[in-house]
Amino acid sequence: MEQPTYRTEPVSFARRGGRLTDRQQTAWDALAGKHVLEVPRHGTNTSVDPDYVLDTCAAFGRQAPLVVEIGSGRGEALVHAAEAHPELNFLGLEVYIPGVAQTLVTMRHHGVTNIRLVIVNAAEALTTMLEPASVHELRVWFPDPWHKKRHHKRRLVTASFAALAARVLEPGGRWRLATDWEDYAEQIRSVVDASPDFDGGQWSPRFEGRPLTRFEDKGMRVGRTIRDVEAIRRSP
């Protein structure tokens, strides 16, 4: 039977489009052909064909440890990390096209070349697009908290998502998370603690490799506590 081309599970993001600024369009025209990867779709424009597997060596033109950031937004953290670690490959998964375009602007400004971006639902990417045990580090910075109780089912970090994270991470690989929403932070800790695939789950010191973005600074200014959680992939 042919697989359905619609989603049967809640998605953890709100799809947002928007016009590009002139600067974003210029960066897109210059860099997207190499740095924004085209993937075959399976219905929606953020889906990925379940038969497709990303060849990271071909995409980056080299073999290097892969760091994946989910919800890379405007690229502040992603570009900062890639500039600091040119020896690593960085893959950003994002559904907001102007955010992807702004990432290209920042990459161009800093001369960063070790980033690739995919406009894709992260859960689908982790399910089939990335090979098992192919990711050195997985980062999830400030996922949408879906703060209304009736929307909690849309939160990204659940037991089923932890299994997807475990699928793509290499043994000993790190899953780093941060949120400024307290009850989501507690949920993240519970998910990691209950997972048979990870060690960790306690509060961690703020990850030094994450720059203070405008989003994080705004949360701190209104009195929110920033919580970091780090988990380590157990050997199967």
Side-chain angles (χ1 to χ4, degrees):
M1 180 181 294
E2 184 178 352
Q3 291 182 309
T5 57
Y6 53 85
R7 296 191 177 99
T8 59
E9 298 293 333
V11 295
S12 64
F13 60 87
R15 182 75 167 101
R16 297 175 295 166
R19 295 173 60 89
L20 303 186
T21 66
D22 290 344
R23 192 178 184 200
Q24 289 172 346
Q25 188 64 60
T26 298
W28 187 280
D29 294 341
L31 300 182
K34 179 178 180 180
H35 294 280
V36 181
L37 305 180
E38 292 289 339
V39 299
R41 305 298 181 180
H42 190 63
T44 68
N45 56 7
T46 58
S47 66
V48 60
D49 189 317
D51 292 329
Y52 173 74
V53 177
L54 177 65
D55 183 342
T56 55
C57 288
F60 286 90
R62 66 174 185 175
Q63 186 170 358
L66 179 66
V67 178
V68 176
E69 183 178 331
I70 292 175
S72 51
R74 294 168 59 86
E76 298 103 319
L78 186 65
V79 176
H80 175 89
E83 184 177 26
H85 293 281
E87 76 281 6
L88 303 177
N89 291 338
F90 287 83
L91 178 66
L93 308 180
E94 178 56 58
V95 298
Y96 182 45
I97 293 175
V100 172
Q102 186 59 40
T103 301
L104 297 175
V105 170
T106 310
M107 287 172 58
R108 195 180 196 194
H109 177 72
H110 289 273
V112 170
T113 60
N114 56 326
I115 292 175
R116 300 296 181 268
L117 299 149
V118 184
I119 299 169
V120 69
N121 174 16
E124 293 183 53
L126 269 59
T127 300
T128 55
M129 189 185 84
L130 297 175
E131 292 187 348
S134 63
V135 175
H136 178 65
E137 192 165 300
L138 182 66
R139 299 176 179 179
V140 184
W141 304 139
F142 304 97
D144 194 324
W146 293 101
H147 59 277
K148 293 182 180 180
K149 189 171 183 179
R150 68 178 183 272
H151 291 155
H152 284 187
K153 65 183 179 181
R154 295 183 178 274
R155 287 178 169 176
L156 179 69
V157 184
T158 61
S160 60
F161 187 79
L164 296 179
R167 174 188 174 273
V168 300
L169 277 166
E170 65 188 17
R174 295 180 184 273
W175 183 16
R176 301 185 189 273
L177 308 101
T179 181
D180 62 351
W181 209 263
E182 189 66 25
D183 76 315
Y184 199 4
E186 293 289 353
Q187 177 179 325
I188 289 170
R189 283 186 65 184
S190 296
V191 165
V192 174
D193 187 60
S195 172
D197 300 310
F198 289 99
D199 291 317
Q202 295 77 32
W203 302 138
S204 300
R206 187 184 185 282
F207 177 50
E208 293 182 354
R210 185 179 73 247
L212 182 63
T213 64
R214 287 177 294 175
F215 180 88
E216 184 173 353
D217 183 60
K218 181 180 178 180
M220 294 171 65
R221 287 177 182 272
V222 298
R224 293 179 186 157
T225 300
I226 309 301
R227 297 291 194 185
D228 278 66
V229 175
E230 179 180 328
I232 301 174
R233 177 68 167 100
R234 293 174 179 167
S235 297

